[in-house]
Amino acid sequence: MMRIAALGVLAVWAAGAQTPANSFQFDFGSGTGAPGYAAKPPFYFSVAVPEEGNYRVTVTLGDRDAESVTTVKAELRRLMLEHVRVPAGKFETRSFIVNVRTPKIAGGGEVRLKDREKTSEAWAWDDKLTLEFTDSHPAVARIEIEKADHIPTIYIAGDSTSTDQPSEPFNSWGQMLTRFFKPDIAVANHGESGESLRGFIGEHRLEKVMSVIQPGDYLFIQMGHNDQKERGEGVGAFTTYKADLKRFVKEAREHGATPVLITPMNRLNFAPGTGTIVNTLGDYPEAVRQEAKEENVALIDLNAMSKPFYEALAPVDAHKAFAGNDTTHHSDYGSYELAKCIVQGIKDAKLPLVEYLVDLPPFDPAHPDPVDKFDVPAEPLRTVYVIGDSPAQNADRRGWADPFAAYFDPAKMKAVNSARAWMQQPDVLYRRAVGPRARLFMD
């Protein structure tokens, strides 16, 4: 047993595995109260784990002195627990499974990561298990972490609409799906922005998945948004795209896993003057349906389900399911509802996965949850701090930092001018202001 402040932390690794004693740490906050850890949300806890794979995390939530309300996310904003309310003086224990991965591929080689996966998305690929505690009054008294081998895993091969999006206002159904499963199965989201089936293969992402997938696991495949942009002789939905789908299905089956094909959801595109969504994905959704039928693969028709979902919101509110002015990528609300569509698709396809789902009523995308009732806590906006001296300070109206801030979209990024004419140690002041895991750019 190791303790940090008043929080009990128990880590159980495989025999012989070593973890440095200082590998447990809180980020962005300081704990108060005993027993337990409570701070201004969100606060983060991270631990270096000895190897990639699945880990069972058991948290004891509660505050001796006040009612607590805690939402827990893991790694890169994957929703694990939602609004766990515990009365003052009481404590409640909950468990969930977190998948941790690295780019390395067994036998040699590694995934060809994009630059953003090494920076803003690094939490999805590092050797740490990271937890986020948020909500109106998050409080945690104990964290237990143990390796969870030999449990089924759902691997997601997808694009930006399923990936672990790093920041608000973007989110994906892959990040929300974890919330709807019992702590007996893992979700390993290998989706990445900009991916097509060909790109997923070329960057060794499929190779990576196949190096870790096991008999009894699942491979959820949802592509199309970027595949339709590919050009070249013979390239098309019913040619190269279907051929690549066949490869994904074949390789999953060769490893004893169950492939599940998912049609790409619609974009936000209403026919002018109507409340009817128009297909902008060409033949790609139909190619997925054909492949599912030809290969006898389970199908989740997210394309068909997203249409009545957007139309139910109508042009006046449908944008609330999307990230800002985006018409492809979703907000927290939109991704939560699409994750419910995936869950309903699992039920409709009668997949054995049904036994791992939490008890939920049937979901009809034509009657989505009211958008004004959605209250999963959003992340704080990312902030750009300008740390500098008099040329940046704007006290005399000649500094550059204030006009600089106007170039950022305030819905996505906040800019703070912290420049001072007397500033001589920007690195020290910066670290004190914004925390140890922020990135520092100095010129």
Side-chain angles (χ1 to χ4, degrees):
M1 173 74 69
M2 285 175 279
R3 290 188 176 275
I4 298 177
L7 178 90
V9 179
L10 174 64
V12 182
W13 307 139
Q18 298 294 317
T19 300
N22 63 353
S23 63
F24 295 83
Q25 69 177 49
F26 282 102
D27 296 320
F28 306 136
S30 56
T32 61
Y37 184 99
K40 181 180 179 181
F43 58 87
Y44 300 80
F45 174 81
S46 62
V47 55
V49 293
E51 59 183 338
E52 67 178 329
N54 298 325
Y55 289 83
R56 184 179 304 278
V57 179
T58 302
V59 292
T60 301
L61 305 174
D63 188 328
R64 184 185 61 184
D65 302 318
E67 179 186 65
S68 65
V69 183
T70 307
T71 289
V72 182
K73 301 177 186 180
E75 292 293 270
L76 198 60
R77 303 172 64 220
R78 303 173 198 162
L79 183 62
M80 295 293 171
L81 300 176
E82 181 182 357
H83 298 316
V84 180
R85 189 177 299 272
V86 183
K90 302 289 185 181
F91 296 90
E92 186 170 326
T93 299
R94 297 286 187 92
S95 295
F96 49 87
I97 304 295
V98 178
N99 178 268
V100 178
R101 63 182 179 178
T102 69
K104 296 187 183 304
I105 299 173
E110 60 181 55
V111 177
R112 191 185 306 148
L113 298 181
K114 296 179 171 67
D115 287 344
R116 59 174 169 263
E117 293 178 277
K118 303 173 186 178
T119 54
S120 63
E121 298 174 11
W123 288 9
W125 286 104
D126 64 16
D127 61 356
K128 291 183 178 181
L129 189 159
T130 298
L131 302 175
E132 173 189 342
F133 298 93
T134 187
D135 219 314
S136 59
H137 180 59
V140 54
R142 179 182 172 93
I143 302 172
E144 299 177 32
I145 304 169
E146 59 183 325
K147 195 71 165 61
D149 295 320
H150 312 302
I151 64 169
T153 302
I154 299 169
Y155 291 90
I156 298 174
D159 54 28
S160 57
T161 60
S162 65
T163 191
D164 288 344
Q165 290 283 357
S167 60
E168 302 287 351
F170 297 89
N171 203 281
S172 80
W173 64 259
Q175 287 171 291
M176 294 295 189
L177 189 64
T178 44
R179 176 257 181 268
F180 299 106
F181 284 100
K182 298 173 184 176
D184 303 306
I185 190 168
V187 176
N189 192 354
H190 285 251
E192 174 52 31
S193 297
E195 290 305 318
S196 63
L197 293 172
R198 283 185 169 185
F200 204 86
I201 295 168
E203 293 169 6
H204 307 295
R205 298 178 193 274
L206 181 61
E207 181 183 355
K208 171 65 179 181
V209 171
M210 291 303 120
S211 73
V212 291
I213 203 167
Q214 298 292 320
D217 290 343
Y218 290 80
L219 178 62
F220 281 18
I221 307 156
Q222 187 232 284
M223 299 280 190
H225 283 91
N226 299 304
D227 303 76
Q228 73 165 166
K229 302 172 187 177
E230 293 181 341
R231 298 291 182 266
E233 185 177 353
V235 172
F238 298 122
T239 53
T240 52
Y241 181 66
K242 278 188 66 175
D244 288 335
L245 284 175
K246 288 181 187 297
R247 175 173 175 176
F248 277 63
V249 168
K250 180 176 180 289
E251 293 204 22
R253 285 174 166 167
E254 287 176 347
H255 285 79
T258 300
V260 178
L261 292 175
I262 304 174
T263 55
M265 76 288 288
N266 280 282
R267 297 187 179 95
L268 183 61
N269 185 31
F270 285 101
T274 75
T276 302
I277 287 290
V278 175
N279 174 40
T280 63
L281 290 158
D283 293 326
Y284 284 82
E286 185 57 31
V288 179
R289 298 181 188 112
Q290 283 189 15
E291 181 64 17
K293 184 177 294 186
E294 292 170 8
E295 297 292 331
N296 193 28
V297 177
L299 175 72
I300 297 177
D301 201 341
L302 194 56
N303 183 268
M305 288 189 279
S306 62
K307 187 176 189 295
F309 168 40
Y310 304 160
E311 290 175 350
L313 296 175
V316 65
D317 282 330
H319 69 280
K320 295 177 182 178
F322 288 79
N325 295 322
D326 203 295
T327 58
T328 298
H329 305 98
H330 298 86
S331 64
D332 292 358
Y333 167 73
S335 62
Y336 191 93
E337 299 301 286
L338 290 175
K340 281 193 168 184
C341 289
I342 297 290
V343 169
Q344 188 59 46
I346 290 170
K347 295 177 180 179
D348 293 342
K350 296 182 172 57
L351 289 167
L353 283 170
V354 169
E355 68 175 290
Y356 298 104
L357 294 171
V358 298
D359 188 21
L360 287 172
F363 179 70
D364 180 0
H367 297 88
D369 299 318
V371 65
D372 59 347
K373 301 291 186 183
F374 180 77
D375 62 349
V376 172
E379 307 295 311
L381 285 177
R382 289 178 177 267
T383 303
V384 173
Y385 291 87
V386 176
I387 306 295
D389 51 19
S390 53
Q393 187 185 20
N394 211 43
D396 59 1
R397 309 304 297 173
R398 288 180 293 180
W400 60 262
D402 279 2
F404 170 73
Y407 288 94
F408 291 92
D409 182 346
K412 300 178 182 179
M413 180 76 76
K414 181 172 65 173
V416 175
N417 184 1
S418 297
R420 298 292 182 271
W422 46 265
M423 189 170 290
Q424 296 179 340
Q425 293 181 297
D427 57 332
V428 175
L429 295 170
Y430 178 91
R431 294 300 184 198
R432 289 176 181 173
V434 301
R437 295 194 67 171
R439 294 174 183 83
L440 177 60
F441 300 91
M442 297 184 65
D443 187 1

